[in-house]
Amino acid sequence: MDYIEKAKNEIRNQWFENHVIKFIKGEEGFQEIIWGEPGTGMYQIRYVLSGNMVYLSGDLGVAVYSLTGPATLKELGQYDLSYFSGKLVASQRAKYEFDGKLARKQIKEYFLEWCDVEDISKLNSDDDELYDDLISATNEWSLPEHFNTAVYHIYQSTTSEWFDSEMASSIADLGQRLSYSVISYWLGLQMINEQLKEKEFQTA
């Protein structure tokens, strides 16, 4: 199971296990929904859909999305995670988390390709030093922006001529994964739509 599927499974079956639509008011154009477990505010999200904007607040933070189309539950139910996350314009919680293990794997893949070697042990001395510095940086930081800064410091001091600003930029973006909070904002909307459809089916 990959990271995204694992995150969705954990959020659905643990965070949102007993969640229901606690409150829904309004109609297309302006609507307020509270998604949470009865009797508690844990992992509760308040969504406000207004025009083409989605505002959310609650136990999982505050965030704002600007959509290209109308912010209706029907439309939002059709958005995949990647598309919806790309519409995030502001968030109290970090959009991405830094995964050092993933970054180390990706750095190794980059070096094998860029340096045209079959094994890291075949790197020349300058490239080997650069590789070690970048790998060390993945162990020191927990946020993407910190790793990003470290990569550019390494870029400025390296003696490897091929490691230019464009390649540094590519490395600086490695190891990033959507945070559980951002995934939960999207999944909450999907589960709200699921419950509404189930209710419609039961009353049909």
Side-chain angles (χ1 to χ4, degrees), residues 119-178:
D119 189 88
I120 293 299
S121 64
K122 304 299 183 182
L123 294 174
N124 64 43
S125 59
D126 287 343
D127 293 342
D128 185 57
E129 182 178 355
L130 172 60
Y131 177 79
D132 286 345
D133 287 344
L134 291 170
I135 293 297
S136 294
T138 68
N139 296 316
E140 296 173 3
W141 309 109
S142 58
L143 294 176
E145 54 266 35
H146 294 159
F147 177 66
N148 187 292
T149 300
V151 170
Y152 280 101
H153 280 303
I154 293 169
Y155 157 67
Q156 292 171 356
S157 62
T158 184
T159 54
S160 291
E161 296 181 358
W162 61 269
F163 193 67
D164 57 21
S165 59
E166 183 177 349
M167 292 180 176
S169 179
S170 296
I171 291 290
D173 289 334
L174 300 182
Q176 293 190 20
R177 287 179 164 166
L178 279 176

Side-chain angles (χ1 to χ4, degrees), residues 44-63:
Q44 179 171 285
I45 304 176
R46 174 180 177 265
Y47 294 97
V48 175
L49 316 181
S50 178
N52 70 319
M53 304 295 291
V54 177
Y55 306 92
L56 62 88
S57 58
D59 192 49
L60 290 168
V62 177

Side-chain angles (χ1 to χ4, degrees), residues 12-183:
R12 177 183 287 273
N13 297 310
Q14 296 183 32
W15 293 20
F16 294 164
E17 180 183 10
N18 300 310
H19 273 44
V20 297
I21 302 169
K22 296 171 72 173
F23 176 87
I24 185 167
K25 183 179 181 181
E27 54 190 28
E28 291 188 3
F30 185 85
Q31 199 166 30
E32 179 184 3
I33 308 104
I34 295 179
W35 171 246
E37 180 179 348
T40 179
M42 184 173 292
Y43 298 128
Q44 179 171 285
I45 304 176
R46 174 180 177 265
Y47 294 97
V48 175
L49 316 181
S50 178
N52 70 319
M53 304 295 291
V54 177
Y55 306 92
L56 62 88
S57 58
D59 192 49
L60 290 168
V62 177
V64 180
Y65 292 79
S66 178
L67 310 179
T68 53
T72 66
L73 283 173
K74 182 178 179 180
E75 288 292 322
L76 290 164
Q78 298 174 15
Y79 291 168
D80 63 24
L81 174 60
S82 177
Y83 181 83
F84 183 65
S85 300
K87 300 302 178 182
L88 181 66
V89 294
S91 178
Q92 180 184 19
R93 303 283 182 90
K95 181 176 182 179
Y96 294 104
E97 298 172 349
F98 180 70
D99 185 320
K101 182 178 180 181
L102 174 63
R104 290 189 288 276
K105 177 178 179 291
Q106 293 171 329
I107 290 170
K108 181 178 180 179
E109 291 171 350
Y110 267 87
F111 269 72
L112 293 175
E113 179 182 351
W114 288 346
C115 299
D116 193 25
V117 293
E118 296 181 357
D119 189 88
I120 293 299
S121 64
K122 304 299 183 182
L123 294 174
N124 64 43
S125 59
D126 287 343
D127 293 342
D128 185 57
E129 182 178 355
L130 172 60
Y131 177 79
D132 286 345
D133 287 344
L134 291 170
I135 293 297
S136 294
T138 68
N139 296 316
E140 296 173 3
W141 309 109
S142 58
L143 294 176
E145 54 266 35
H146 294 159
F147 177 66
N148 187 292
T149 300
V151 170
Y152 280 101
H153 280 303
I154 293 169
Y155 157 67
Q156 292 171 356
S157 62
T158 184
T159 54
S160 291
E161 296 181 358
W162 61 269
F163 193 67
D164 57 21
S165 59
E166 183 177 349
M167 292 180 176
S169 179
S170 296
I171 291 290
D173 289 334
L174 300 182
Q176 293 190 20
R177 287 179 164 166
L178 279 176
S179 70
Y180 269 44
S181 294
V182 170
I183 296 172

